[in-house]
C-alpha cells in the first residue's frame, strides 16, 4: 500500500494563479482532510470529507475549494492564490472521523509570490 | 530548510534519558487524543492514541498519560535516542466523537548525544 500520496511536492505560484493539489489514498478510508502548516501555528484544518459526495469546512476554509467524487481522491483547489496561502499542505485520511489515527501524506510546499 | 520548528517550545534531553512532552487540551467533551511525531520535511507520523475511558496507554518505549481533571496529556519517551529528535504534536477530537482532530502547536525535542 502506498498510503496517502500527495502531488506535487513543491509548487511556486504567482498571485492570482489557480492550481489543484492532488491527494489520493489506497486504504479505503471514508474520512479525508486537508491541513495547512505554518511556522508556530501547528496544523490547521482547511476542509474535510466523511465520504464520497460529502465535504465540509474546517477552521480556515477561505480561499480553498474541495470535492470528493470518489473514496480515493480528495483534491484541494486554490482558485486565486494569495501570498497568505504560502504554506505546507498536508492531506490525511482515517477510517473514522475523530476516532482513529489520521494517516498523513508527505506534504506539498507551496510558495505564492 | 525546515521552518516547522521555528518559535516552538523546545525540550532538550541527553541521549538515554527519559523525555516528557506535555500538552493541555481545551475541550472537556473531547474523547480521543493522539500524539504525532514530525521529522523535518515529512508528514506527521502516528505514535500512540488514547481514549477518554483510559488514563494510561503504553507502546514501544512510549507512554501516554491522560488527566481529564486538569485536561492534560503527556507523552513519555523512555531511553530517548537521537532518532527521536523531531517535533511532537498532540491532537484532540474537539467536540467529541464526531469531531475532527485539532492539533496543538507542537514541541521540538532535541536529543544530545
Amino acid at each position: 500500500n502506498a498510503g496517502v500520496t500527495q502531488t506535487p511536492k513543491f509548487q511556486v505560484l504567482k498571485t492570482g494563479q489557480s492550481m489543484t493539489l492532488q491527494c489520493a489514498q489506497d486504504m479505503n478510508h471514508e474520512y479525508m482532510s486537508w491541513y495547512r502548516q505554518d511556522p508556530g501555528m501547528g496544523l490547521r484544518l482547511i476542509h474535510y470529507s466523511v465520504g464520497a459526495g460529502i465535504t465540509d469546512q474546517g477552521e480556515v476554509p477561505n480561499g480553498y475549494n474541495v470535492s470528493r467524487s470518489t473514496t480515493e481522491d480528495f483534491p484541494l483547489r486554490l482558485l486565486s492564490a494569495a501570498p497568505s496561502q504560502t504554506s505546507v499542505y498536508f492531506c490525511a485520511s482515517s477510517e473514522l472521523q475523530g476516532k482513529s489515527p489520521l494517516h498523513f501524506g508527505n506534504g506539498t510546499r507551496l510558495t505564492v509570490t | 530548510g525546515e521552518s516547522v520548528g521555528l518559535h516552538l517550545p523546545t525540550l532538550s534531553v541527553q541521549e538515554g534519558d527519559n523525555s516528557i512532552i506535555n500538552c493541555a487540551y481545551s475541550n472537556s467533551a473531547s474523547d480521543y487524543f493522539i500524539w504525532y511525531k514530525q521529522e523535518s520535511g515529512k508528514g506527521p507520523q502516528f505514535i500512540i492514541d488514547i481514549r477518554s475511558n483510559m488514563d494510561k496507554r503504553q507502546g514501544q518505549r512510549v507512554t501516554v498519560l491522560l488527566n481529564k481533571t486538569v485536561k492534560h496529556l503527556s507523552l513519555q519517551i523512555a531511553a530517548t535516542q537521537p532518532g527521536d529528535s523531531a517535533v511532537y504534536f498532540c491532537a484532540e477530537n474537539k467536540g467529541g466523537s464526531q469531531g475532527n482532530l485539532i492539533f496543538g502547536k507542537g514541541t521540538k525535542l532535541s536529543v544530545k548525544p
Side-chain angles (χ1 to χ4, degrees):
Chain A
N1 284 355
V4 178
T5 303
Q6 290 184 238
T7 56
K9 291 186 179 179
F10 301 95
Q11 183 70 51
V12 178
L13 291 178
K14 289 187 163 69
T15 297
Q17 287 185 317
S18 62
M19 80 159 294
T20 299
L21 281 62
Q22 302 291 345
C23 175
Q25 52 94 7
D26 62 0
M27 296 171 283
N28 202 32
H29 285 166
E30 289 296 325
Y31 180 83
M32 295 187 75
S33 55
W34 278 100
Y35 289 85
R36 61 177 286 174
Q37 186 171 43
D38 303 294
M41 299 292 289
L43 290 143
R44 292 184 293 169
L45 181 65
I46 305 172
H47 283 286
Y48 65 96
S49 168
V50 297
I54 305 169
T55 63
D56 209 341
Q57 296 181 348
E59 301 171 85
V60 289
N62 292 343
Y64 307 96
N65 281 348
V66 291
S67 59
R68 185 96 180 269
S69 56
T70 67
T71 298
E72 294 78 21
D73 300 298
F74 191 44
L76 178 72
R77 296 185 186 84
L78 284 71
L79 296 179
S80 180
S84 61
Q85 294 179 305
T86 294
S87 189
V88 182
Y89 291 86
F90 288 100
C91 178
S93 72
S94 67
E95 290 184 45
L96 299 170
Q97 179 187 15
K99 293 182 182 178
S100 59
L102 282 169
H103 298 257
F104 283 85
N106 280 325
T108 295
R109 186 176 291 273
L110 175 68
T111 302
V112 183
T113 60
Chain B
E2 176 56 58
S3 61
V4 167
L6 290 178
H7 314 302
L8 290 176
T10 299
L11 175 66
S12 185
V13 299
Q14 202 70 39
E15 181 179 359
D17 287 351
N18 296 336
S19 302
I20 300 176
I21 301 172
N22 296 304
C23 183
Y25 66 92
S26 59
N27 194 329
S28 55
S30 298
D31 62 3
Y32 179 71
F33 306 87
I34 192 166
W35 281 99
Y36 282 88
K37 173 186 180 183
Q38 187 176 28
E39 296 173 289
S40 179
K42 296 185 178 179
Q45 179 185 5
F46 167 70
I47 302 172
I48 192 167
D49 58 1
I50 188 168
R51 301 187 191 283
S52 59
N53 60 353
M54 302 174 71
D55 297 321
K56 178 179 178 178
R57 190 164 188 226
Q58 289 184 291
Q60 189 176 14
R61 277 202 310 118
V62 294
T63 300
V64 55
L65 297 177
L66 176 63
N67 185 329
K68 295 179 283 295
T69 302
V70 295
K71 292 191 284 207
H72 184 267
L73 192 68
S74 67
L75 177 71
Q76 300 178 359
I77 304 172
T80 312
Q81 303 167 0
D84 295 326
S85 293
V87 177
Y88 290 81
F89 294 96
C90 66
E92 61 181 297
N93 66 342
K94 212 166 187 177
S97 61
Q98 294 301 316
N100 298 295
L101 285 177
I102 303 300
F103 286 76
K105 290 183 171 46
T107 297
K108 184 175 183 179
L109 176 65
S110 178
V111 182
K112 296 177 285 187

